[in-house]
């Protein structure tokens, strides 16, 4: 039973197209994150958010942008997709207070740009 | 958040206990140790976490040394479905840039 949802699960798209990867969570978590992961490689943080109207870039430079207009929603947008954007994108959230500060991850979106 | 060090890969026989070590020598007093696993290309799945006491749940046990500089995740009876990448991370209340690292690739063999 997933509490954080990512859509689509797989996406194949042509170069130059604009895409938005959706991420929603039902746990009321303040903090949300986007990670990028190539097959067999490490997770790299590309964006994070403290809460509504708060977004920051992560350690890995990314041409994507994010928004946080509602607590539960943290979409990621690529204005013009390129083959170098081919990767898996993982969304996660965590509580801002309480005993468990751990992450809950979505199932990921596997993006292929052709 | 503090950085962790894990072996790149480990093997374990099916039915035996899998003991996965993690070093976190720079852990601070308010940081918890978390373990996750990632099967194929799915999102990492939470396994267990702890501060300084040993913890056990239905999936695994977590043993944290008294100085908190290292820990061990124990899967008591490994199955083929436990083959995955296991990540050890440390995390406190204010941490955002948690480093997952490469984790340990566990191979459970029949």
């Amino acid at each position: 039973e997933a509490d954080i949802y990512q859509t689509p699960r797989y996406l194949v798209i042509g170069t130059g197209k604009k895409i938005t990867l959706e991420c929603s969570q039902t746990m009321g978590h303040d903090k949300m994150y986007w990670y990028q992961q190539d097959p067999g490689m490490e997770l790299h943080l590309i964006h994070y958010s403290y809460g509504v109207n708060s977004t920051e870039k992560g350690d890995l430079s990314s041409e994507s942008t994010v928004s946080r207009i509602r607590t539960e929603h943290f979409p990621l947008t690529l204005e013009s997709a390129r083959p170098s954007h081919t990767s898996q994108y993982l969304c996660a959230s965590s509580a801002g207070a309480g005993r468990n500060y751990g992450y809950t991850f979505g199932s990921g979106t596997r993006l292929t740009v052709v | 958040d503090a950085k962790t060090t894990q072996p790149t890969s480990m093997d374990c026989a099916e039915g035996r206990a899998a003991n996965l070590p993690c070093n976190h020598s720079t852990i601070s007093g308010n940081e918890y140790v978390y373990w996750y696993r990632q099967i194929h290309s799915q999102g990492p799945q939470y396994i267990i976490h702890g501060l300084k006491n040993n913890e056990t749940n239905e999936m695994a046990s977590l043993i944290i040394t008294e100085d908190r500089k290292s820990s061990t995740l124990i899967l008591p009876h490994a199955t083929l479905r436990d083959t995955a990448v296991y990540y050890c991370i440390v995390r406190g209340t204010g941490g955002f840039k948690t480093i997952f690292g490469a984790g340990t690739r566990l191979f459970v063999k029949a």
Side-chain angles (χ1 to χ4, degrees):
Chain A
E1 181 181 334
D3 296 311
I4 183 164
Y5 305 90
Q6 288 189 247
T7 57
R9 183 73 179 92
Y10 301 94
L11 179 62
V12 180
I13 200 162
T15 298
K17 299 291 187 182
K18 177 180 178 179
I19 58 170
T20 296
L21 309 184
E22 299 289 347
C23 176
S24 294
Q25 51 98 3
T26 59
M27 298 168 284
H29 285 169
D30 291 324
K31 299 177 182 177
M32 295 190 73
Y33 317 82
W34 277 102
Y35 284 84
Q36 183 175 343
Q37 184 181 35
D38 293 327
M41 304 299 286
E42 300 179 19
L43 284 78
H44 293 284
L45 180 67
I46 54 174
H47 297 284
Y48 59 95
S49 168
Y50 295 92
V52 172
N53 294 325
S54 159
T55 61
E56 301 286 345
K57 288 190 178 293
D59 290 329
L60 182 67
S61 176
S62 175
E63 295 169 342
S64 58
T65 59
V66 292
S67 62
R68 189 91 182 274
I69 299 174
R70 304 196 314 268
T71 297
E72 64 271 19
H73 194 215
F74 191 42
L76 181 145
T77 299
L78 278 166
E79 291 292 333
S80 179
R82 294 207 298 268
S84 62
H85 296 140
T86 294
S87 189
Q88 172 156 264
Y89 294 84
L90 290 160
C91 180
S93 69
S94 68
R99 185 172 179 271
N100 190 343
Y101 310 110
Y103 294 88
T104 301
F105 279 87
S107 298
T109 294
R110 182 166 296 282
L111 173 66
T112 302
V113 183
V114 298
Chain B
D1 294 334
K3 189 175 180 180
T4 62
T5 304
Q6 300 177 253
T8 303
S9 66
M10 295 181 64
D11 291 342
C12 178
E14 188 179 21
R16 303 296 295 270
N19 297 292
L20 289 83
C22 179
N23 288 319
H24 30 80
S25 58
T26 60
I27 192 170
S28 60
N30 65 349
E31 288 183 319
Y32 287 76
V33 179
Y34 287 84
W35 283 83
Y36 293 81
R37 73 178 182 186
Q38 187 175 29
I39 297 174
H40 299 302
S41 296
Q42 299 176 21
Q45 174 194 22
Y46 167 83
I47 300 173
I48 198 167
H49 76 286
L51 183 63
K52 54 184 178 181
N53 297 320
N54 298 337
E55 302 285 346
T56 296
N57 63 21
E58 65 279 4
M59 293 179 67
S61 295
L62 174 61
I63 309 298
I64 302 174
T65 57
E66 191 168 343
D67 63 8
R68 302 210 323 126
K69 292 185 177 182
S70 66
S71 61
T72 301
L73 177 75
I74 301 172
L75 307 178
H77 305 287
T79 70
L80 298 178
R81 286 183 291 181
D82 291 324
T83 292
V85 178
Y86 288 78
Y87 298 100
C88 166
I89 65 170
V90 295
R91 181 164 171 77
T93 58
F96 271 99
K97 298 185 178 181
T98 301
I99 299 171
F100 272 80
T104 295
R105 192 170 293 274
L106 175 69
F107 297 94
V108 180
K109 300 181 177 180

